[in-house]
Structures are given as structure tokens and as C-alpha cells.
Amino acid sequence: MLDYTPKEYIQRSALTINPAKTCQPVGAMYAALGIHKCLPHSHGSQGCCAYHRKFLTRNFRDPVMASTSSFTEGAAVFGGGSNLKTAIKNVFSIYNPDIIAIHTTCLSETIGDDIPTYIMSSQIPEGKLVIHANTPSYQGSHVTGFSNMVRSMVKYLSVNSKTPNGKVNVIPGFVNPGDMREIKRLMKAMGAAFTMFPDTSNVLDAPMTGKFDMYPKGGTKVQDIIDAGNSLATLALGSFASSDGAFELDKKCKVPARVLKTPIGINATDEFLMAVSKLTGMAVPEDLEEERGQLVDIMVDCHYHYHGKKVAIFGDPDLCIALTDFAISLGMTPKYVLTGTPGESFENEIRDMFNAAGIDGKVKALGDLFTLHQWMKEEPVDLLMGGTHGKYIARAEDVPFVRIGFPILDRSVHSYLPIVGYKGAMRIIEMMSNALLDRQDRDAADEDLELIM
Amino acid sequence: MAKGQVTDILEERKEFIQCKSNAGGLGLKCEKDSVAGSVSQRACVYCGARVVLNPITDAYHIVHGPIGCASYTWDIRGSLTSGPEVYRNSFSTDLREQDVIFGGEKKLAGAIGEIAERYSPKVIFVYSTCIVGVIGDDVEAVCKEAERKYGMRVIPVKSSGFAGNKSMGYKAACRALLNLMETNSTTWPRQSEKLTGVNFLGDFNLAGEIWIISNYLKRIGIDIVAKITGDSRCEEIMKAPEASLNIVQCAGSMTYLAKEMEDIYKIPYIKVSFFGIEDTRLSLMNIAHATGNKDAVEKAKELVFVEELKVKAKLEHYRKRLEGKRAAIYVGGGFKAISLIKQFAELGMTTVMVGTQTGRPEEYEVIRGMAVDGTVILDDSNPAELEKFIREKGADILVGGVKERPLAYKLGIAFCDHNHERKHPLCGFEGALNFAKEVDLTINSPVWKLRRHHL
Ligand code: SF4
């Protein structure tokens, strides 16, 4: 790419160049880390587990624990049953988690391993739990893997015991621990009783204490996931990552589900808080009204920095959908929106936004960054937003670049600070306008360099 | 400490851990697959193959399988290039459900075609990952057919993840390299007229290391025919059989290739290490002697004298700041661990724990020989064990790879990446200085003082 991308658009049917997604298991591993005292377990070759742990470690800069079935040729031929049983026994005896969350890999899926049967014939110590999710790498993407693991939490754990708890369930979606913290803060500020799962805050953004905790303080307690079956309703934030879990909860425990956008930007945050308010009967408190007011103030103060700017957005579908909506609300033109995750609904939803805003833009699901780069060569944009891999394009095209989404491998602190909620929206605006204004400064001739912008 | 004293360790892991004592004892158990259910730090066959071949800068690397394997290895190697950037892109077949059911051969052929037609490359490597064999794709046949159709090299790399560990992947990569070397087999002079130059095996040009080494060799009058594989081009690897000597650095990944080349092309090899002053000096002298060129020996002596002088005084500064500190090592191969123990000793530091992912019995023997009493030696470890021994032994710094960094930081000790994420070249004389700088920078950082539980 640096710079191998030709301008003229070439149709490809077999080759993926520079992917905008990765495989299911890593998403499942991330979701499972959001359960308190859970050890994710990768049922496949040891390499998969090593890659997934490395990938998450690079993004979060925190230890990522997971065990593996360590497939060998024998397992690939005769099935991984005995590996899994040994693994379950070993994991409980040495690492002592409360719960093991197994996910499969392309290999164990292809050879047709029957995980529930294996689990049933395993020795599981009293009071301990084992759950599993099928996460074939050749379907969907890492976001699908996250969603599948969340659904499995519900399938295995949640129970409607006819004792309503008056709580709201929140499924936050594939967002950073910093975002999960912020969502919890908003819920608390709303005075709502709630259960959020999964919750990786205090797991992957845990403080430094001089001790290594195999199981840090954070994560949703198993008890709470069980009790989620008694809640008032479930708010699924982000249709791709969260709706399956919420629908499963509806099906299994009759907890009504409502699917919302990831609360990124002003509209999506409004919708989220209104939904909470409606469910709980609590009014949006003064504090949050104040935050919203500040956000609007900021949007007014610097609207001329970004108004009319063309932006290309890539990343996970839920992020792209919310970010596109936010960009439009700021008067920007999201010219290109691309995700690596497959899904027609993604293209439809973005296209609807384009139509409503009168934008002549391009959208693609199951796309790759080579395509995005080609689009940008055909007609350039003013700003690129997405994960670290966008840096090659940003450099080749000399376009300002805002890192947002997953993964971010070359910058730090992103996982601690939110992009959701009103505060998160302020942060996004700051990142975007700084990138645009830094560029303006860089390019300005001496006589045009302005002190006040 | 006897083996029985290792407590809190998975029963099946005990034979993989040792504590050095004068009493001797049985060899350490190693080169085995990880125990099912361990939080192993180990990688797979594909990973081994990919890290060896990826640095070939002008080759197209197609990963045949579902997207994950391609995503995780996209430009993570940290190998620099002086020219082509092709290898920094990620090409894959992104196999989907349909392909798994009906086979992926057509998609692979299509993907090769889409590259061939647009870029007309010289060489494409095709990596088969976990499920490719299971779904019955005949990758070799597809590659052959593509070679015929497009008149270029399309080389299969058999790297299904489950078929062994990372070392097996190194072998798979070496076989692919041999395959590439055979390209012009009809036209080489075979053993008759060897070039005077050497091949350099096992440097991957992390942070530009191969440039330091080739500069040294140039100064003592030795030409490099092929760099394998850091900053290399396909052409030079095809020429490798014409060289008169193989110099092997990363022994873990390259000994197999060197032995094969000795067999097939009658090229002798020597092992070297450019990590640390002592190893660099020895290696340069050994290389000069091995070429049988007196002039080279003289020049090497001079180079060593000049370069050592340049860094020695500066190293002394760091030695003062680091003397007496304790180091823990957890790296990929045994050879690197050995170099590191020496380097820490050069800095006045003691190594209190040594572990590797894929060390071999001979290497563990050397480590045992060098280690001071009480040093813990472990094979294919996991975070719980690492924590236990780092604490028990009071290490001040851990040297390791990506997954170990946050572990060290959480424990509140310093860390140095001696793997793909190294930021400065660590080889040669200037590398030894960089290493000292890095170790000092992290060990003596003020951040460790901020660690406390209460205000
Ligand atoms: S694509 Fe398959 S083999 Fe590769 S990392 Fe993902 S699960 Fe493992």
C-alpha cells in the first residue's frame, strides 16, 4: 500500500487486500474477559490463542489471559474432545477461575467438534461454570464473535426466576473499557438500577498496583448475568455487537429488548438517555443536561472548523453507524463509510443516512482498506477516521487521520478515555478539529499562519 | 532447589522447570507441545513460517484461510526495507463458509490470478493455515498450475497451525526458501565456481539490524550474496546457492536451512551472534577466519578494536547505573537467551530467571552451564509461573515479547522488548550500547517510584 494502490477501481472477487476486520474468536475472547473471574478458553491450535492474546494486548496494553486446547495433529484427525476435557480439568486446578468461557476456532469448527457434549462429559468442580460459544472464523468478523459470546452468556446463565429486580440490562457492545465506564457513569447519573454485561472496565484498564492479578477486580459478576433474566428490559447498544444477546434474553426470559445505536455523538446519546428515562421513569438529571449543553456550546463554538469537510470512516459496523450520524450532525460529509464485517443492514442503514442528508457517498460492508484507499484516490477527503491500519492510507494520501475504534496499536490512552456519551462526543470533536487545524497550520505559508483559529 | 520445591505449578509442567544447582540433575524437558489448558505463550506453525518469510520485501505473501491469520500478521514483523514495500501489505483469501463447504481452491487460484494480472510479481508465497488441509484443498496443485499459467514462482508454504509448534513453522519456511533457490537450478555453476560472498541467515532486519551487520562485513571486505531474510529480494535468495559460506545468526529458525544447503549446495556454515560486545567480537573474527582470507582477518581485528573503543567508555556509564540489578529473560529461542545472559553480565547484572518458548536441549545445557546457582530455568512458560519466579527472584527487569510487557509493568518492574517490537537495533557494537541505554531507560525510570497503594 505504501503506495501500491492504483487509482482505477478494479473489481476483485477472490483476493482480500489489507483487511478491515479479523476473526471471530478474538471478539469472543474480549467479551469473555468482561465476566468477573472468567478465563476465556480457545479451543483450537495454540497459535490462535497466542495471536488473539497478542492482538488484545497490543490494543489495551494490559495482560490478557486465556488458555488453549493446544491442538495437535491427533486432535485435528480424531476431534478435540480429549484435549478439551484435559484443558477444563487443568484450568480449574491451576488457574482456578469461577467460570471458563470456551470459544471455538476455524479448525475445531471445521472438524465439527461438539462442544456441549464435551462439556457435559468433563469434570467440573462444584460451583464452577463452563459456557461456550461457536465462533467459526469463516463467518462474520470479530464483532460477530463478540456478539456470539454475549448471546452464550445469556443462553447458559440468565434465568427468569419470576422475581423482577427492576433493573435495566445494558449490553454495551464492542467498545473500550473506558467507554464501558462512561456508560456505567451515565446509568448511575440517571439513577437507574442496572446490570451491564460484559464489562471489561477494571479488567483491561485496571490500575497498576505492583501485583499481577490473573482476575482483576472488574467484570460482570456471574450472579448478575443470571439475574439479568429478571430485569425490566435490555438496552442493546449497537445492533451488530449487542442485539443477538438482547433478543436471546427476550426469547429465553421474556425480557423485552430495545436496540439502539452505540451512544456516540449527540443524537445517539440523547436516544440512549431517553430510553433509560422511559424505562425507569427517571428524568434526565441536571448534571447530564449540563453536559449536553456544554457539548452543544462546543459544537457551536467551532462548527466552522469542520463544517463541510469530507470524511472517510472505517471500522466496526456499530462504530461506523454512530460516527456517520454524528459527522452528519456536525455538518460534515461522510463521503466513504466502510466496514470489514459483512451485513447488508449496514449498507442500508448508512445509505438511509446519506439519502436523508443528501450526501453522495459510498458505503461497503465486507470491504477492505484497499478499496477504501482506491475510493480516496478517486476523490480525496479532508479527514480519515478509523483504527491504526489507516495510517498507511493517511500517509500515502497525506490526509489528517484520527485514530478511533479497534484496533489502535500505535497510540496509547485511547482505551481509558470514552468516545461515548456527551463527554465522549467532546473528545471526538477535539480530536477531529485538532487534526484538521494541525494540518492547516502545517500547510500555512508564513504570512497565513494564524495565532487565533 | 530440587524440582519438588516448585510449588503451585501444574503437575504436568514440573518437568519443564528447573533450578540450577551444583548437584546437576536430569535434563530439562522441552520441545514438547504445550499442555492442554495452559495459558501458553507459544505460537504455531503458521506463525513460525510467516515470521521467517515475511521480511522478503518484494514477494507477495498470500495467506490462504479465514481472515484472522492474515490480520494478526499484517506488517507486525518490524522488519525494515531499503526498497520494495510489497510485503507490508496483507493479501489473503478470507475464506468464508461457502469456501469451507465447497473447497477454497478456486478462490485461491482467483486470488493468485488477481495479483498476477495486476502486478506481475516474481514470487508469490501461499501459506496454508489451519483448515486448508482439513477441507481438502490441494494447494500444491493450485500453485503449480498458477506457475504454469503466469510464468512466475508460486511457492506453497505448508503451515497448518496444529501440525506442530513454531519450530515446525521455521522448517516449513526453510523448505519454501529452498524451493525458491531451486528456481534457476539449471543455470548455476553448482559447486564449481562459487562466488566469494557469503549468505547471512537469520537476521530479519528488525530496526535495521542487517544494515549494521552488512556494513561490518563490507568493511572487512566480505560481500553478502543473500540476506535471509531481512531486507531481502527474491532475486538474491535465488542466487544464494552460489555463495561460499553461510553465516547463521538466529540458529533457532535457520539451522535447518544451513544444514540443507550444506547438503545440497556444499556450502559450509558457521553460527554467530551479534548480540553483545563479546559475541560480536567473536563472531566477526570467526567470520573472517572462516573465509580464509588473511586480509579479512586483519581488517576484522582493526574494526573490532576501533568499534569496541568507541562504545566501551559509553558502556561504562551505563554499567555504573545498572550494576547489581537482576534480570529475568523470557524469549523465543535458546540462542537469544544465551546471548542475553552474556550481555547482562557485561553490564554487571545477574540473570536470575531464563525461559524460552522453543529452546532445544543443547541450548538448555549451555544455559545451565552459564547460569549462576539458584537461577530458574523454564521451558514454554505461562504468566502465573513467570510472575511467581520474577517475584521470588526479585528481578528488576524482564526481557520478553509482546505478551510479557504488560505483565512486567503490572508487577511494577522494568521491561525490554527483544522481539519484533524492539525500537532500536540491538545488534553489533552500537546495538550493545542501545541495549544498555534501553535497559537503563526502563530500569531507572522515575515511574516506578510512583507505585504505591495509598496516598
Ligand atoms: S483464522 Fe482460524 S486459524 Fe487463524 S487465528 Fe483465526 S481461528 Fe486461528
Side-chain angles (χ1 to χ4, degrees), chain A residues 323-386:
Chain A
L323 210 52
T324 303
D325 180 63
F326 187 36
I328 293 173
S329 73
L330 291 169
M332 299 172 84
T333 305
K335 189 78 192 148
Y336 311 122
V337 184
L338 180 139
T339 184
T341 301
E344 236 175 82
S345 65
F346 174 79
E347 296 188 356
N348 293 338
E349 197 166 346
I350 300 284
R351 230 174 257 129
D352 287 347
M353 288 189 225
F354 283 169
N355 290 340
I359 289 167
D360 170 25
K362 283 186 172 140
V363 56
K364 192 164 170 40
L366 195 56
D368 58 23
L369 294 188
F370 187 84
T371 298
L372 180 67
H373 195 179
Q374 288 205 304
W375 287 347
M376 285 171 58
K377 275 192 189 286
E378 268 168 30
E379 190 186 330
V381 293
D382 304 300
L383 182 68
L384 174 66
M385 298 180 82

Side-chain angles (χ1 to χ4, degrees), chain A residues 376-430:
Chain A
M376 285 171 58
K377 275 192 189 286
E378 268 168 30
E379 190 186 330
V381 293
D382 304 300
L383 182 68
L384 174 66
M385 298 180 82
T388 285
H389 292 99
K391 79 193 278 181
Y392 302 109
I393 304 178
R395 184 181 167 96
E397 301 310 313
D398 196 18
V399 178
F401 177 38
V402 167
R403 284 165 182 78
I404 192 164
F406 176 83
I408 295 177
L409 312 169
D410 61 341
R411 296 290 188 272
S412 47
V413 200
H414 58 272
S415 57
Y416 292 80
L417 301 176
I419 55 168
V420 299
Y422 301 125
K423 291 265 192 225
M426 293 178 202
R427 187 162 161 253
I428 296 174
I429 292 179
E430 186 181 21

Side-chain angles (χ1 to χ4, degrees), chain A residues 23 25 48 52 105-106 137, chain B residues 66 68-69 72 130:
Chain A
C23 64
C48 304
H52 304 149
T105 62
C106 56
S137 321
Chain B
C69 296
Y72 304 124
C130 274

Side-chain angles (χ1 to χ4, degrees), chain B residues 78-238:
Chain B
S79 330
L80 306 189
T81 171
S82 56
E85 306 263 11
V86 184
Y87 73 117
R88 302 187 63 182
N89 291 276
S90 163
F91 301 96
S92 69
T93 49
D94 184 11
L95 291 184
R96 312 302 300 169
E97 193 157 27
Q98 289 302 304
D99 310 314
V100 173
I101 298 168
F102 299 111
E105 288 179 14
K106 245 179 81 191
K107 202 168 191 187
L108 175 59
I112 295 172
E114 284 170 10
I115 289 182
E117 276 154 25
R118 184 157 344 132
Y119 302 101
S120 15
K122 286 197 197 78
V123 178
I124 296 180
F125 287 105
V126 177
Y127 302 76
S128 30
T129 63
C130 274
I131 61 166
V132 168
V134 181
I135 62 175
D137 280 5
D138 187 346
V139 174
E140 255 165 80
V142 176
C143 291
K144 256 216 191 92
E145 173 57 21
E147 291 202 327
R148 200 191 50 75
K149 191 164 167 193
Y150 303 106
M152 60 189 192
R153 294 305 319 271
V154 183
I155 299 174
V157 186
K158 284 193 197 156
S159 48
S160 278
F162 57 87
N165 57 23
K166 203 170 174 182
S167 309
M168 298 291 292
Y170 294 152
K171 264 195 188 160
C174 291
R175 277 193 289 269
L177 288 167
L178 287 167
N179 188 334
L180 180 58
M181 289 174 196
E182 286 295 314
T183 305
N184 302 324
S185 58
T186 44
T187 55
W188 334 297
R190 283 276 169 189
Q191 305 118 31
S192 46
E193 304 158 46
K194 289 276 178 205
L195 296 174
T196 48
V198 301
N199 296 321
F200 199 92
L201 278 59
D203 187 288
F204 303 102
N205 204 28
L206 305 183
E209 291 179 342
I210 192 79
W211 297 327
I212 293 182
I213 296 169
S214 30
N215 174 38
Y216 288 163
L217 295 190
K218 198 168 149 203
R219 281 165 61 188
I220 61 178
I222 297 173
D223 292 327
I224 296 186
V225 178
K227 306 180 285 301
I228 302 177
T229 56
D231 190 27
S232 65
R233 316 282 187 276
C234 299
E235 283 287 341
E236 64 184 88
I237 293 175
M238 291 184 208

Side-chain angles (χ1 to χ4, degrees), chain A residues 78-125:
Chain A
F78 303 113
S82 74
N83 286 53
L84 188 60
K85 280 176 234 167
T86 316
I88 290 176
K89 189 174 127 255
N90 281 341
V91 165
F92 279 124
S93 70
I94 183 78
Y95 303 114
N96 194 30
D98 286 353
I99 174 170
I100 299 176
I102 301 166
H103 59 261
T104 53
T105 62
C106 56
L107 178 59
S108 51
E109 283 292 331
T110 308
I111 63 174
D113 270 1
D114 181 6
I115 310 293
T117 308
Y118 297 161
I119 295 178
M120 241 140 44
S121 53
S122 296
Q123 292 172 355
I124 300 169

Side-chain angles (χ1 to χ4, degrees), chain B residues 330-343:
Chain B
Y330 190 68
V331 290
F335 211 65
K336 188 184 280 171
I338 295 169
S339 276
L340 281 167
I341 299 175
K342 285 192 210 163
Q343 266 188 282

